[in-house]
Amino acid sequence: MRKIATLVLALSMSFGMYAQENNVDSLKYGPDKDKTEENLSLYNEYYKQKNYKDAYPSWSYIFHNAPLRSRNLYIHGPKMANKFIKDAKAAKDSVNQTAWMDSLFMMYDQQVKYYPKKNGAILGKKGVAIYKNYPNKLEESNKYLKASYEADGNAISRSVINYYFSTSVKLKNKKVYTIDDLVVMYSDLSGVIAFQKSKYSGEKFDFTAKSDTVELNKQEKRRLSNATKILKTLNDVEANIEKTIGPLLSCDKLSELFTKNFEANKEDIAWLERATKLMKKKECTDSDIFFTIAEQQYELHPTADAAINLAYNALKRKEYTTANTYITNALEQESDEFKKSGYHYLKARVQMGQGSYASARSSALKAASLRKGWGDPYILIGQVYAATSRKCGELKTEFLKRVGYCAAIDKFEFAKRIDPSSAKKANKLIGEFSKHVPSVTDAFSAGYKEGQAFTINCWYSEVIKIRTVKSN
């Protein structure tokens, strides 16, 4: 009996596996494999020529009969549908526009059916499609965009970040969202942008550094190009969000809002954390309410983030020893390298304020090592080089008193090269310190000219490029 039972079980398992394999083959090749392959060839050929009108019928056959034949079905199909929607919209053909929107959504739904991991991304694409084609359907668009964010979190696309926030701001006027809702949303989405910028800045930094020594292969070049494009998009999205929220969340309005709501929320640690995070993001740490909230947050929950908030206040009052104490406290508690990079950078600012330039440089380099592709630490290093340039050449030649400004500019240039978001700050400093580099005459007297390499040996050692001006 045991042998018979084992045989029956084996047969049933084999049949189940056969049925499963057979089903996969059916989904991949359809009822007629030759016809599927013929249509695949036709659709691909027409699609390459951007002849979507003739490509679509063959694409449609595969989509309905062999939905697993190629992942490209779910890339090319929506692209064609969006072109047809655009054409119908231009022709003011609302019937065709709606029909093609329905087809687009059908494509998205089938993609999720066979590739369920794409659900969050597809929800976002639906929300963007609705907004672009039916801007009066704000609530429906926003519903999909919100669901996309809730599904994918830090992995959401840049377009979802942009349209989720912009639709939400517009819906505030319809009283769907309150200003408090927008505060939460802005804080959360800023965190997503920071996460993605850190990720892709790291990739760009690694491949850019590698390209300085060896030729990148085709895949590496593609990844570098992709990271560069994504970073530009992230910066554009961040700028757009800042522009949208600016009139609603200025420092004065944030201070007013948080002052008004503090008493009601002073026992709510989530509210306190969100408020300090947002005020840091908007660079509103000079306000009295920031200090009040930061103290309350630390008292209720003395985490690394809470300690850093108090360090900001100590730095503002130039109480550098106190600031260092809080930063040390935060570094001891924190394990997240992204956050630790920010803490080391703040420590560098404190040390620069104390005049401890070597320590400031060391802390800034530590911050940069934990967050590749971040420009601010290098800008700070440039600032300490500039602050000590004349001291390094004291009692020596005018040329030696000024080469430190060349070193500073090298760091500002490097910062904006690896981090486009730091370009504005870097360019301002370059403009300021370019006036103080050695004159052509001073450089000539020292035996150097524009563009030559020179080694600075002071409290730091750097090989820099000589920069000159006509006169000082």
Side-chain angles (χ1 to χ4, degrees), residues 431-467:
E432 178 182 343
F433 290 112
S434 290
K435 303 169 188 174
H436 302 293
V437 299
S439 68
V440 174
T441 303
D442 289 336
F444 180 77
S445 298
Y448 291 93
K449 60 182 180 181
E450 178 86 17
Q452 279 189 289
F454 178 81
T455 302
I456 296 177
N457 287 304
C458 185
W459 60 269
Y460 64 95
S461 180
E462 286 273 1
V463 178
I464 57 100
K465 181 175 74 173
I466 297 295
R467 301 166 188 272

Side-chain angles (χ1 to χ4, degrees), residues 82-309:
N82 276 310
K83 175 66 168 60
F84 299 143
I85 291 167
K86 185 178 179 182
D87 291 345
K89 192 176 178 182
K92 297 184 179 179
D93 184 348
S94 60
V95 174
N96 256 329
Q97 184 181 348
T98 300
W100 279 114
M101 279 290 288
D102 290 342
S103 295
L104 178 63
F105 272 46
M106 178 182 67
M107 296 173 197
Y108 286 152
D109 290 340
Q110 181 159 297
Q111 184 177 5
V112 170
K113 178 181 177 181
Y114 295 114
Y115 304 101
K117 289 183 179 179
K118 293 285 185 181
N119 182 51
I122 295 304
L123 289 167
K125 287 179 179 180
K126 285 183 176 181
V128 172
I130 292 170
Y131 180 77
K132 285 185 174 181
N133 293 288
Y134 301 107
N136 58 321
K137 295 184 178 181
L138 279 176
E139 287 190 55
E140 187 179 352
S141 170
N142 185 264
K143 179 187 73 174
Y144 281 113
L145 295 165
K146 181 180 181 182
S148 176
Y149 169 63
E150 290 172 346
D152 285 349
N154 283 336
I156 58 170
S157 72
R158 275 59 65 189
S159 61
V160 170
I161 297 171
N162 188 47
Y163 288 113
Y164 178 34
F165 194 74
S166 63
T167 55
S168 298
V169 170
K170 289 177 180 178
L171 286 170
K172 175 188 172 291
N173 297 330
K174 295 189 175 185
K175 302 191 184 305
V176 175
Y177 291 110
T178 65
I179 188 65
D180 288 336
D181 294 327
L182 295 182
V183 165
V184 174
M185 200 177 300
Y186 175 79
S187 179
D188 290 344
L189 293 178
S190 294
V192 173
I193 291 172
F195 174 86
Q196 292 194 15
K197 284 177 76 172
S198 176
K199 175 184 174 182
Y200 291 107
S201 291
E203 276 198 23
K204 182 183 177 184
F205 181 90
D206 288 340
F207 288 125
T208 300
K210 187 175 181 180
S211 70
D212 289 340
T213 55
V214 297
E215 177 76 15
L216 298 179
N217 62 38
K218 190 174 180 180
Q219 183 184 20
E220 290 171 332
K221 286 179 180 177
R222 186 166 58 249
R223 288 183 64 185
L224 173 58
S225 175
N226 185 54
T228 302
K229 288 176 183 175
I230 289 174
L231 284 169
K232 182 183 182 307
T233 304
L234 282 168
N235 286 328
D236 290 344
V237 169
E238 187 172 38
N240 189 48
I241 287 178
E242 292 290 345
K243 183 180 178 182
T244 304
I245 200 68
L248 298 173
L249 296 184
S250 64
C251 284
D252 287 343
K253 289 187 178 179
L254 279 177
S255 295
E256 181 183 343
L257 177 69
F258 292 142
T259 299
K260 181 179 70 175
N261 294 337
F262 176 70
E263 282 300 322
N265 293 281
K266 66 181 182 181
E267 302 300 324
D268 183 348
I269 191 63
W271 184 91
L272 297 169
E273 289 174 350
R274 191 162 52 244
T276 52
K277 178 182 175 183
L278 181 53
M279 295 188 87
K280 283 188 291 185
K281 167 69 178 172
K282 297 289 287 182
E283 298 183 358
C284 305
T285 54
D286 286 343
S287 63
D288 291 337
I289 189 60
F290 178 82
F291 182 54
T292 301
I293 296 172
E295 280 195 317
Q296 178 69 0
Q297 180 188 350
Y298 191 78
E299 185 177 330
L300 290 181
H301 197 204
T303 61
D305 281 341
I308 284 297
N309 292 335

Side-chain angles (χ1 to χ4, degrees), residues 236-442:
D236 290 344
V237 169
E238 187 172 38
N240 189 48
I241 287 178
E242 292 290 345
K243 183 180 178 182
T244 304
I245 200 68
L248 298 173
L249 296 184
S250 64
C251 284
D252 287 343
K253 289 187 178 179
L254 279 177
S255 295
E256 181 183 343
L257 177 69
F258 292 142
T259 299
K260 181 179 70 175
N261 294 337
F262 176 70
E263 282 300 322
N265 293 281
K266 66 181 182 181
E267 302 300 324
D268 183 348
I269 191 63
W271 184 91
L272 297 169
E273 289 174 350
R274 191 162 52 244
T276 52
K277 178 182 175 183
L278 181 53
M279 295 188 87
K280 283 188 291 185
K281 167 69 178 172
K282 297 289 287 182
E283 298 183 358
C284 305
T285 54
D286 286 343
S287 63
D288 291 337
I289 189 60
F290 178 82
F291 182 54
T292 301
I293 296 172
E295 280 195 317
Q296 178 69 0
Q297 180 188 350
Y298 191 78
E299 185 177 330
L300 290 181
H301 197 204
T303 61
D305 281 341
I308 284 297
N309 292 335
L310 291 178
Y312 270 98
N313 279 283
L315 179 59
K316 169 192 166 185
R317 299 191 300 273
K318 297 184 179 180
E319 295 173 359
Y320 299 122
T321 302
T322 302
N324 261 324
T325 299
Y326 282 123
I327 295 169
T328 301
N329 181 335
L331 285 168
E332 287 171 352
Q333 295 186 68
E334 189 57 68
S335 58
D336 183 274
E337 289 196 345
F338 181 82
K339 288 185 176 181
K340 285 178 77 171
S341 69
Y343 301 167
H344 281 291
Y345 173 69
L346 185 60
K347 187 173 185 178
R349 286 178 55 192
V350 171
Q351 290 163 333
M352 182 170 68
Q354 290 176 300
S356 302
Y357 297 118
S359 297
R361 178 177 183 268
S362 178
S363 294
L365 288 171
K366 182 66 177 176
S369 72
L370 293 173
R371 183 176 165 186
K372 292 179 180 178
W374 186 23
D376 284 354
Y378 294 101
I379 286 178
L380 187 143
I381 292 171
Q383 288 173 310
V384 299
Y385 285 175
T388 59
S389 183
R390 297 198 68 80
K391 187 74 174 175
C392 283
E394 195 172 25
L395 304 179
K396 298 177 184 177
T397 64
E398 192 65 21
F399 172 78
L400 291 175
K401 290 178 182 177
R402 293 178 178 273
V403 287
Y405 297 116
C406 298
I409 293 170
D410 280 356
K411 292 303 177 188
F412 302 147
E413 291 282 4
F414 181 72
K416 70 175 187 174
R417 180 187 173 204
I418 64 167
D419 181 6
S421 68
S422 69
K424 184 177 179 181
K425 187 189 300 184
N427 286 333
K428 182 180 178 182
L429 291 166
I430 290 168
E432 178 182 343
F433 290 112
S434 290
K435 303 169 188 174
H436 302 293
V437 299
S439 68
V440 174
T441 303
D442 289 336

